[in-house]
Amino acid sequence: GEDVEQSLFLSVREGDSSVINCTYTDSSSTYLYWYKQEPGAGLQLLTYIFSNMDMKQDQRLTVLLNKKDKHLSLRIADTQTGDSAIYFCAETTYGNNRLAFGKGNQVVVIP
Amino acid sequence: DTEVTQTPKHLVMGMTNKKSLKCEQHMGHRAMYWYKQKAKKPPELMFVYSYEKLSINESVPSRFSPECPNSSLLNLHLHALQPEDSALYLCASSQGRPNTGELFFGEGSRLTVL
């Protein structure tokens, strides 16, 4: 798959905002995703954004997309202990069954 | 029903054993996937079935053999595995064509090869 880069570890206090970043290299990406994986579980789709959008807000989640810099971010407002997980960004193009995942970013929420 | 169910949750096998992992979904999805995931790493795609036909094989060794008996079921047959094959095996499904990448994942089968 294409290269998708993520930073590795983030520690955040409960109630604060957390921001996870991701860069990708495939400029033809159509869809960009954020998946969450809690310990011992599968991946859960959190949210996604189309490449023709700059921002998407979904309750506590805000996704920002900078196509020029190929940069994707996920902001979690009012972070809760249940947000402790590994977060993977992923990208694909329309009609492609391959998802390219980033390395993942572990978020640890401190009570 | 928005679940992908995988069995067994845990499997320990020797290198000479033959075992199978099973996956089931009842969302009417027509694409099903096997991923392998090592600890703290992203999932690695192994196989994709689209409309019950194998559409992607990511050069997976033949000791892993996928099977899609019908649109709701996906199996992964295991034979003569190596200790380095120990991992979490994730099944996923999606609507199929056109695919937007919205995958629904199962909880995974954690495999240990002794």
Side-chain angles (χ1 to χ4, degrees):
Chain A
E2 303 299 333
D3 282 340
V4 184
E5 295 291 328
Q6 282 185 260
S7 51
L8 296 179
F9 183 82
L10 176 67
S11 172
V12 61
R13 292 202 178 276
E14 189 175 14
D16 287 351
S17 293
S18 46
V19 179
I20 308 163
N21 296 300
C22 169
T23 57
Y24 61 98
T25 57
D26 187 353
S27 58
S28 66
S29 296
T30 315
Y31 304 94
L32 297 119
Y33 301 86
W34 284 103
Y35 280 86
K36 173 185 180 184
Q37 186 174 31
E38 295 181 40
L43 278 73
Q44 173 197 358
L45 177 65
L46 280 182
T47 187
Y48 64 92
I49 189 168
F50 296 118
S51 59
N52 62 356
M53 298 168 66
D54 298 323
M55 186 183 90
K56 181 179 180 182
Q57 185 145 5
D58 185 358
Q59 300 182 334
R60 293 189 297 119
L61 305 177
T62 303
V63 180
L64 294 177
L65 175 61
N66 181 330
K67 278 197 76 176
K68 176 174 168 289
D69 295 336
K70 298 189 188 67
H71 183 262
L72 182 73
S73 68
L74 175 69
R75 178 177 180 271
I76 305 173
D78 186 25
T79 310
Q80 306 294 307
T81 53
D83 295 326
S84 292
I86 299 178
Y87 291 81
F88 294 99
C89 63
E91 58 88 18
T92 191
T93 53
Y94 182 82
N96 188 343
N97 278 341
R98 283 187 178 85
L99 266 184
F101 283 95
K103 292 183 172 63
N105 189 313
Q106 183 165 8
V107 173
V108 174
V109 181
I110 304 164
Chain B
D1 183 359
T2 56
E3 282 190 353
V4 176
T5 305
Q6 290 188 244
T7 55
K9 289 196 188 307
H10 300 274
L11 178 63
V12 179
M13 60 187 290
M15 290 190 283
T16 59
N17 292 157
K18 281 187 184 181
K19 297 285 185 184
S20 297
L21 306 180
K22 297 185 183 301
C23 175
E24 189 169 3
Q25 57 87 14
H26 295 289
M27 294 178 277
H29 288 172
R30 300 311 298 270
M32 295 187 76
Y33 309 72
W34 281 115
Y35 282 85
K36 173 183 177 180
Q37 187 181 29
K38 292 280 200 179
K40 301 283 176 73
K41 299 288 187 186
E44 299 172 16
L45 182 63
M46 300 174 72
F47 302 104
V48 180
Y49 274 84
S50 180
Y51 291 80
E52 294 137 67
K53 291 191 188 326
L54 183 65
S55 61
I56 296 176
N57 177 344
E58 294 285 72
S59 303
V60 178
S62 60
R63 57 186 185 268
F64 295 92
S65 174
E67 178 197 18
C68 188
N70 60 56
S71 60
S72 300
L73 294 174
L74 185 66
N75 299 322
L76 186 62
H77 302 299
L78 315 170
H79 174 52
L81 295 194
Q82 304 296 310
E84 59 265 30
D85 296 322
S86 298
L88 182 68
Y89 288 84
L90 292 164
C91 174
S93 69
S94 68
Q95 287 185 334
R97 287 193 293 266
N99 178 47
T100 60
E102 294 181 60
L103 269 58
F104 291 76
F105 282 85
E107 298 274 304
S109 293
R110 187 163 299 282
L111 173 67
T112 303
V113 182
L114 300 177

